[in-house]
Amino acid sequence: MESEKFTRQTLLEVNTLTPSLFTLRCSRDAGFRFQAGQFARLGVTKADGSQVWRAYSMVSAPHDEFLEFFSIVVPSGEFTTELRRLKAGDTLLIEKQALGYLTLDRFADGRDLWLLASGTGVAPFLSILQGLEVWQRFERVVLVYSARSAAELAYQPLIKGLMQQEHLAEFADRFIYLPTVTREQVAGCLHGRITEFIANGQLEQKAGIRFDPQASRVMICGNPQMIDDTRALLKQRDLQLSLTRRPGQVAVENYW
Ligand SMILES: Cc1cc2nc3c(=O)[nH]c(=O)nc-3n(C[C@H](O)[C@H](O)[C@H](O)COP(=O)(O)OP(=O)(O)OC[C@H]3O[C@@H](n4cnc5c(N)ncnc54)[C@H](O)[C@@H]3O)c2cc1C
C-alpha cells in the first residue's frame, strides 16, 4: 500500500552552505504537481530499514524539471541527521501529493506583496518569486530574508539575478530585496530582527511602501516565534490572518 503513496527520486546535487545548512536537488516524477509555495513530504530510510518523513517546501519553481530543497541540520535531529548524509546518486523518497496553503491563491487582491522569511523559511518564497504570477499580480514584491550571519543567507545569486531572467526582466522595478542579519553587521543588510524593523518603521522606509490593509498582503514563513511576534505587530496595523471564512491580508507557514 505504502509504495503507492510516494516515489523514489535520485539526488542530482547536494551543496553544503555552512555546517548547519545545505541544499539538495533531485529528479522529479513526471506526475508530481505543485503550486509555488507548497511543500512535499520527504522520506529517508534509516540503517535499520525504517523510514522517517518530514515536510519540506519546494525551492524550485513548478516549471523546473527538477525539485530543489533547502535544509537545516538539526543537531541530533532524526530526519536531518539522515538527510545530510545523502549524496548525489542516492535515493530520496517523495510523497506524490504536494501540500500546503502558503500560495498566492490565498489572496484575491492586493497591490504590494511582502514575503517575510527567517532561515530556511525563504524556500517557498524562492519558488513563488521564480514564477510569473506574482509579478503579474503585484505592483511591488518585497522579500525580507532574515538569517543569523551573511554566510547563512542562501541563494544570493538566485535572488540577485532573479529579475535578469528573461521572463521576469520587464518586472524588474517591482522587486525589493531586504536581507537582514541578526548576529553580525553586514554591508547592504539590515542588522537586527524583522520584528524590530516593523516596529520602528525601518522596513516600510527601506521598501518605500507602508503596511496598509487595502494594499498589503503578507506571507510569513519559518520560525514560529518570529511568525507569532510578526503577526501581533501586523495586527496592530489592521492586517489579519487570512482564513477561509474570513479573507485577510496575512498567510503563514510554521516550520515547527
Ligand atoms: C510545512 C513545513 C515545511 C517545512 N519546510 C522546511 C524546509 O524547507 N527546510 C527545512 O530545513 N525545514 C523545513 N521544515 C522543518 C522540517 O520538516 C523538519 O523539522 C526539519 O527537517 C528537522 O527535522 P529533524 O527530524 O532533524 O528534527 P526535528 O526533531 O523535526 O526538529 C527538532 C527541532 O529543530 C528545530 N527546527 C526544525 N526545523 C527547523 C528549521 N527549518 N530551521 C531551524 N530550526 C528548525 C526546531 O526547534 C525543532 O523543534 C518544514 C516544516 C513544515 C511543517
Side-chain angles (χ1 to χ4, degrees), residues 39 54-57 70-72 74 77-80 120 255-256:
F39 64 89
R54 289 289 185 276
Y56 271 78
S57 305
F70 175 31
S71 185
I72 185 89
V74 174
E78 190 183 9
F79 184 82
T80 51
T120 51
Y255 269 9
W256 67 92

Side-chain angles (χ1 to χ4, degrees), residues 38-246:
Q38 286 194 303
F39 64 89
R41 287 180 48 81
L42 306 186
V44 292
T45 308
K46 297 211 294 191
D48 65 5
S50 63
Q51 291 170 354
V52 192
W53 293 87
R54 289 289 185 276
Y56 271 78
S57 305
M58 269 67 77
V59 169
S60 47
H63 59 252
D64 287 322
E65 284 172 19
F66 53 83
L67 293 177
E68 172 128 350
F69 302 99
F70 175 31
S71 185
I72 185 89
V73 179
V74 174
S76 313
E78 190 183 9
F79 184 82
T80 51
T81 302
E82 300 294 330
L83 190 70
R84 70 183 302 203
R85 290 203 189 113
L86 301 182
K87 32 187 203 326
D90 287 344
T91 297
L92 187 64
L93 312 178
I94 305 189
E95 275 192 10
K96 289 177 179 171
Q97 181 72 55
L99 303 161
Y101 302 100
L102 195 67
T103 50
L104 291 175
D105 55 15
R106 286 288 290 278
F107 305 126
D109 55 5
R111 188 193 66 198
D112 308 324
L113 181 67
W114 294 82
L115 304 172
L116 312 181
S118 71
T120 51
V122 75
F125 300 150
L126 295 175
S127 185
I128 289 171
L129 288 168
Q130 293 179 80
L132 255 189
E133 186 188 351
V134 70
W135 304 106
Q136 291 169 333
R137 281 191 47 188
F138 293 95
E139 269 177 40
R140 285 279 179 280
V141 180
V142 188
L143 173 65
V144 185
Y145 175 14
S146 167
R148 291 181 302 186
S149 64
E152 293 196 351
L153 285 171
Y155 292 105
Q156 295 308 291
L158 171 67
I159 296 170
K160 290 179 178 161
L162 190 68
M163 305 318 282
Q164 283 146 33
Q165 294 183 30
E166 213 179 311
H167 68 298
L168 302 183
E170 65 178 293
F171 304 108
D173 58 355
R174 299 189 172 197
F175 185 42
I176 299 159
Y177 175 43
L178 301 175
T180 76
V181 171
T182 52
R183 295 198 186 163
E184 59 185 22
Q185 296 267 10
V186 181
C189 297
L190 288 160
H191 176 56
R193 294 181 179 280
I194 290 179
T195 43
E196 276 170 50
F197 303 129
I198 294 175
N200 68 16
Q202 240 184 306
L203 220 52
E204 291 166 292
Q205 195 197 341
K206 287 271 178 197
I209 46 179
R210 309 265 303 161
F211 285 117
D212 159 88
Q214 208 70 40
S216 310
R217 299 294 176 267
V218 189
M219 290 179 159
I220 324 173
C221 186
N223 177 324
Q225 190 62 55
M226 180 282 281
I227 293 179
D228 281 357
D229 296 348
T230 304
R231 270 186 58 193
L233 286 166
L234 292 176
K235 207 168 167 190
Q236 294 171 11
R237 309 290 301 270
D238 290 328
L239 301 175
Q240 309 279 352
L241 198 63
S242 190
L243 306 169
T244 324
R245 60 186 155 81
R246 189 200 67 204

Side-chain angles (χ1 to χ4, degrees), residues 6-17:
F6 62 84
T7 64
R8 287 184 167 73
Q9 299 302 316
T10 305
L11 279 171
L12 306 171
E13 253 182 75
V14 181
N15 278 312
T16 304
L17 263 58

